[in-house]
Amino acid sequence: MTPRDKMWGQLERTFDVLVIGAGIIGSGVAREAARRGLRVALLDQYDIAYGTSSRSSKLVHGGLRYLEQLRFGLVFESVQERRVLQRIAPHLVRPLAFLFPIYVGSKVTLWLLRLGMWVYDVLSLFRSPRLHRVLSPRNTIKTEPGLRAEGLKGAPLYYDCATDDARLTLETAIDAAFAGTVVVPQCKVVALHKDNTGRVARVEVEDNISKRRQSVSARIVVNATGPWTDATLALDAEGAAPLLELTKGVHIAVRHVKLPLHHAVTCFHPQDQRVLFAIPWGDLTYVGTTDTPYEGNPEEVHAELQDVNYLLAATRVYFPSYPLTTEDVVTTWAGLRPLIRPKAQAQKAPSSISREHEIYVGNDGVVTVAGGKLTTYRLIAKQTVNTLGKELRRRDDGKLPTHCSRTDRNPLPGAVGLSRHVHVVERVQQDSQGSVSSHSAHYLVEMYGQRALEIAALCAKHATLATPLVAGRPEILAQVYWAVEEEFATALSDFFVRRTQLFFRDVHHGLTALDAVTAMMSKLLEWSPQQAAEQQAQYRAYVELHQSWKAELSVSSP
């Protein structure tokens, strides 16, 4: 029996809380509720972090640009939560230095940005990774030689944090499971059923893999489905006015040698003055993001040629020494922002729509949480579970546990007992009996934190598990076993896109490792030859979808 099958078998019990959607918000709600002593189930029709939560700018930040919109409360919450995430997941949330170059004619003057930087530090209670300082034009170019020097007036140097968004979500879900949550991906909710009071008390789910169905009972249901929020609400109220307004954010990545940044760079796009980032990312550099309305199927969101050209245009203005073309783009990703639809009739520009979240209790008793941002997910989850408690007490629906969750203090699994990075790397090599290379050991500690030692132990027992999946890269075969047995992976795309980042970081998107990964997952998940072939076809189709903008390029070429 596979690990997921065991979880499926536990859906027969009655839960206090059933969370639909295993993105960062849903996983956070499950963790918060389980750590308060509630019986929780967390379901997703696809995979953990399948949607927006694995397609972001991969930053944990205070939202410096929100100061321009006078959203001081949102910035304050963000910088405080940034500090919390550094404490509970230091292996996944790391300080990153940003330069914000200001030029003659820039949207914001240097003196105003200086003021904003002080406000940013004040709102963080002077607890940013490091306080900002403002560099002269000469020192700016010395610090980041690739920047355009012409018209440069100076640049604040400030600090936020980078993260692996998918793994932050995954570790949150794993911690929820450690606290007793039943976590079942590839489990689609197909119907909501009400009790005699008109509240949803039971949901019907379908296993995407076996097509079997199951009825799951819960005292209260949470809709945390991000871009699928309106579709989930429509299960009970078909034809209801949409709650969300979706906008698409696209990123492109190029090899680091093509855009060799030493720091992240914040800038204004020369066409529409939107804030963009260019961020060093190991042997890659990525640039993003766009912000355009989206009305299609969330499963099919991808970069288009106009998105790629929009981002490349900005790089050519700010980094003239490194003129990028479409041929330099290694990979792209696109995500959807599930923004709360403005109540005002006047149409707003996508970038001006609030990123703040809202929590609703429907007439059917379903609690919907929508909007918000990655950085504040834990706080949103806490507020959501507070709402659940109030709603259940209002119903006089039995007693509630009074445990304190301490999700702001309890570390995520990879951070439990985490010692200094260099010491863990040394132990990984020792515990694997030398089978894991130094390159792979550093990578494993960055990905898994202290749990890298458990992967090293696997390699000590079976040295072949330390075999690199792609020549010259650090990913190893043991990660496939770990993804299935410990991290709920059920599909090839789960592994290549969200358990590792081979889809993004490898120039061939991991396709050269496809047979090796398929062989191991087939054994662990008991796939038939036909299922294995279908899995490979699905992953190839995923890669093709996210490279489809290149087909547009060939059509548009003379």
Side-chain angles (χ1 to χ4, degrees):
M1 180 179 290
T2 66
R4 181 183 169 280
D5 285 338
K6 294 177 184 177
M7 286 288 192
W8 174 272
Q10 296 180 51
L11 291 178
E12 296 178 352
R13 70 177 74 165
T14 297
F15 297 93
D16 294 312
V17 181
L18 172 64
V19 183
I20 308 172
I24 191 67
I25 302 298
S27 297
V29 170
R31 177 180 184 243
E32 178 73 29
R35 282 194 166 274
R36 292 194 196 184
L38 296 167
R39 296 165 297 177
V40 184
L42 175 65
L43 313 179
D44 197 283
Q45 64 175 329
Y46 299 114
D47 181 32
I48 296 165
Y50 170 84
T52 307
S53 299
S54 59
R55 312 182 196 202
S56 73
S57 293
K58 307 186 188 303
L59 298 176
V60 169
H61 63 110
L64 181 63
R65 70 187 184 88
Y66 302 138
L67 290 179
E68 181 187 2
Q69 302 163 352
L70 303 181
R71 294 175 181 163
F72 299 112
L74 180 58
V75 175
F76 180 76
E77 289 179 350
S78 298
V79 293
Q80 298 309 312
E81 286 300 301
R82 180 187 65 191
R83 182 172 173 81
V84 168
L85 295 182
Q86 283 184 269
R87 180 167 60 239
I88 68 173
H91 60 304
L92 295 175
V93 181
R94 305 183 189 93
L96 179 64
F98 286 76
L99 277 173
F100 199 151
I102 297 297
Y103 293 85
V104 174
S106 285
K107 177 182 176 181
V108 174
T109 62
L110 186 57
W111 74 264
L112 186 59
L113 190 55
R114 284 176 185 263
L115 177 61
M117 287 293 173
W118 279 116
V119 173
Y120 203 49
D121 283 340
V122 168
L123 289 174
S124 72
L125 305 180
F126 297 100
R127 292 175 178 172
S128 292
R130 290 180 66 178
L131 296 182
H132 83 277
R133 56 194 177 96
V134 179
L135 305 183
S136 67
R138 179 180 177 181
N139 284 336
T140 300
I141 298 302
K142 185 177 179 180
T143 302
E144 197 59 68
L147 275 170
R148 185 180 94 237
E150 182 183 357
L152 181 63
K153 302 186 73 174
L157 175 64
Y158 69 100
Y159 291 80
D160 266 317
C161 292
T163 191
D164 181 332
D165 50 2
R167 294 208 64 84
L168 183 63
T169 305
L170 179 63
E171 287 214 15
T172 301
I174 290 172
D175 195 59
F178 286 170
T181 298
V182 175
V183 181
V184 187
Q186 295 293 336
C187 180
K188 183 177 181 179
V189 174
V190 295
L192 305 176
H193 299 289
K194 300 177 183 177
D195 60 16
N196 56 12
T197 68
R199 301 188 189 101
V200 172
R202 187 167 51 87
V203 303
E204 187 175 350
V205 299
E206 182 176 272
D207 183 341
N208 287 350
I209 300 171
S210 67
K211 302 305 178 184
R212 57 189 167 177
R213 291 200 171 190
Q214 172 77 40
S215 181
V216 185
S217 299
R219 294 168 66 190
I220 197 162
V221 174
V222 178
N223 173 14
T225 52
W228 292 268
T229 295
D230 288 327
T232 304
L233 291 173
L235 291 173
D236 181 53
E238 188 174 352
L243 179 65
L244 299 183
E245 185 163 316
L246 303 180
T247 70
K248 180 174 72 169
V250 171
H251 295 79
I252 62 172
V254 301
R255 293 185 181 182
H256 188 260
V257 294
K258 292 290 185 177
L259 187 56
L261 299 184
H262 304 289
H263 305 74
V265 174
T266 307
C267 56
F268 297 112
H269 196 285
Q271 294 176 11
D272 56 13
Q273 301 299 299
R274 262 193 50 77
V275 172
L276 297 179
F277 299 108
I279 299 174
W281 198 38
D283 55 2
L284 299 177
T285 299
Y286 67 89
V287 181
T289 176
T290 63
D291 198 357
T292 54
Y294 185 83
E295 297 181 354
N297 188 332
E299 290 90 339
E300 298 174 359
V301 62
H302 62 278
E304 298 174 80
L305 180 58
Q306 62 182 358
D307 302 315
V308 173
N309 283 334
Y310 171 88
L311 296 172
L312 288 174
T315 67
R316 289 192 286 266
V317 169
Y318 286 98
F319 308 103
S321 300
Y322 300 96
L324 300 176
T325 69
T326 52
E327 293 182 359
D328 297 313
V329 177
V330 172
T331 193
T332 66
W333 66 90
L336 295 176
R337 302 177 188 87
L339 307 178
I340 305 296
R341 184 178 291 268
K343 295 181 175 63
Q345 294 299 314
Q347 188 173 7
K348 290 187 175 183
S351 60
S352 68
I353 300 174
S354 174
R355 270 54 177 170
E356 295 184 78
H357 67 282
E358 293 189 28
I359 301 169
Y360 305 85
V361 181
N363 293 330
D364 57 3
V366 173
V367 176
T368 295
V369 54
K373 53 201 289 281
L374 175 71
T375 304
T376 55
Y377 87 89
R378 191 203 64 85
L379 184 61
I380 295 170
K382 183 177 180 180
Q383 294 171 356
T384 302
V385 177
N386 288 344
T387 299
L388 301 182
K390 291 177 183 177
E391 179 65 13
L392 289 175
R393 283 190 289 270
R394 186 184 69 80
R395 298 179 190 177
D396 192 25
D397 193 15
K399 294 183 178 180
L400 288 173
T402 57
H403 301 176
C404 179
S405 67
R406 295 186 62 80
T407 53
D408 62 334
R409 294 285 176 180
N410 288 313
L412 293 182
V416 175
L418 185 62
S419 56
R420 289 184 61 193
H421 181 93
V422 65
H423 294 158
V424 185
V425 170
E426 290 172 354
R427 283 195 58 193
V428 165
Q429 292 183 276
Q430 292 170 3
D431 291 4
S432 70
Q433 296 182 0
S435 61
V436 174
S437 69
S438 175
H439 188 197
S440 292
H442 279 277
Y443 160 81
L444 291 173
V445 175
E446 287 180 353
M447 291 282 283
Y448 303 96
Q450 194 75 4
R451 300 196 84 194
L453 297 176
E454 299 176 59
I455 297 176
L458 291 174
C459 295
K461 293 179 180 178
H462 307 282
T464 55
L465 291 178
T467 305
L469 291 173
V470 176
R473 292 202 55 83
E475 297 86 0
I476 60 176
L477 193 59
Q479 291 177 262
V480 184
Y481 177 90
W482 189 259
V484 172
E485 295 295 326
E486 300 290 337
E487 297 183 340
F488 313 109
T490 62
L492 289 174
S493 59
D494 297 351
F495 178 77
F496 283 106
V497 181
R498 290 170 291 277
R499 301 308 181 277
T500 65
Q501 296 175 336
L502 270 169
F503 168 76
F504 302 108
R505 292 181 177 267
D506 176 37
V507 294
H508 301 295
H509 310 290
L511 289 173
T512 59
L514 192 59
D515 289 341
V517 175
T518 302
M520 178 165 279
M521 291 190 76
S522 293
K523 182 178 180 180
L524 295 170
L525 294 170
E526 302 171 0
W527 289 343
S528 67
Q530 180 181 352
Q531 287 174 311
E534 289 173 353
Q535 282 287 325
Q536 288 199 345
Q538 289 170 9
Y539 182 64
R540 290 182 188 277
Y542 184 91
V543 173
E544 185 177 345
L545 173 66
H546 290 276
Q547 294 293 305
S548 60
W549 63 271
K550 292 183 178 180
E552 295 181 64
L553 183 65
S554 62
V555 170
S556 65
S557 299

